[in-house]
Structures are given as structure tokens and as C-alpha cells.
Amino acid sequence: IAKFLQIYLENTDDPLEMTPSHFAFVAGKNGPIPASELQVGDRLYNVVDGEKKVIKIESATHDDGLFSPLTLDGTIVVNDLLMSTYALPLCMKNVEGETPYLEFAGFQFTLTHSLIHRAIAPFRVFCEIY
């Protein structure tokens, strides 16, 4: 069973469902943020209408699997929203109110969409060649 967030947006009937660890592009932010950091009032990038405001966030659970496709630019359009295909690894330490981080050899690393995108570059190149 996986935990999901149901993100309700203005002028839409069906919520966007994503795991708390998947990244979302939010207007006014330097890069995508984990869905767990989304707040009511945030605006997600909509490829048709420009932006859509988050009006409600609820928790849900599902047992029908997770999807995280590998794309060349690390993005995907879901329900007309520009989303990241990346998510934070489950091994990330997440303390309430703090940015999740990965601890390795005594150092703390904050993973971002762009860092993950660089780290998996060899896989993207392999997929493009073959």
C-alpha cells in the first residue's frame, strides 16, 4: 500500500494524485518541490491555462502500484500540469518541518530535481542510444 496526496486545483473536478515524494513545479519556486511541501494557495504550472491554484490537499492510499517514467528532460504532463518524473528516495530522512535529506558518510545532502536529473544522465543517454 502506497501513500498518495490528492491535490485539488481550481476549476478542475478530479484531483491530481501523486506520492508525497514526487516533485511538482510550483510558480515562484526556483525548481520543483516535493509534493509533501505543497500548500493550499500554491500555483502549479498548467500547459493549457498557465497556472492552477491548489485549493485542497488530502491524503489517500492505493495498492495498485507506482509509476515514475524516465523521460529525456525529467518532466511529464499529467492532467495538463507540468510535473517532474523524479521522486525522493524512500531512504531520505524526513523530519517534520525540515527539508528531507540523504545522509552519507556523515554528510547531509538535499536532493533536488536538477541533481537527480544529472545523476541519472547515463541512463537517459543509454535509453536514447538503444
Side-chain angles (χ1 to χ4, degrees), residues 46-116:
N46 184 289
V47 298
V48 175
D49 301 328
E51 298 175 0
K52 291 279 187 177
K53 185 168 67 170
V54 176
I55 58 171
K56 181 169 66 168
I57 302 172
E58 294 181 343
S59 295
T61 57
H62 292 286
D63 61 359
D64 54 357
L66 301 171
F67 302 94
S68 190
L70 181 62
T71 65
L72 290 178
D73 65 356
T75 64
I76 191 169
V77 175
V78 179
N79 297 1
D80 293 334
L81 299 167
L82 179 64
M83 305 302 290
S84 171
T85 59
Y86 306 133
L88 296 171
L90 295 176
C91 61
M92 298 288 290
K93 297 191 183 226
N94 192 2
V95 177
E96 187 69 33
E98 293 184 15
T99 302
Y101 62 90
L102 183 66
E103 198 169 298
F104 179 74
F107 295 96
Q108 293 181 359
F109 299 93
T110 300
L111 293 183
T112 63
H113 169 89
S114 59
L115 182 61
I116 296 170

Side-chain angles (χ1 to χ4, degrees), residues 70-73 86 117-118 120-128:
L70 181 62
T71 65
L72 290 178
D73 65 356
Y86 306 133
H117 190 66
R118 287 184 191 99
I120 66 166
F123 297 106
R124 292 192 326 274
V125 170
F126 178 81
C127 291
E128 190 169 341

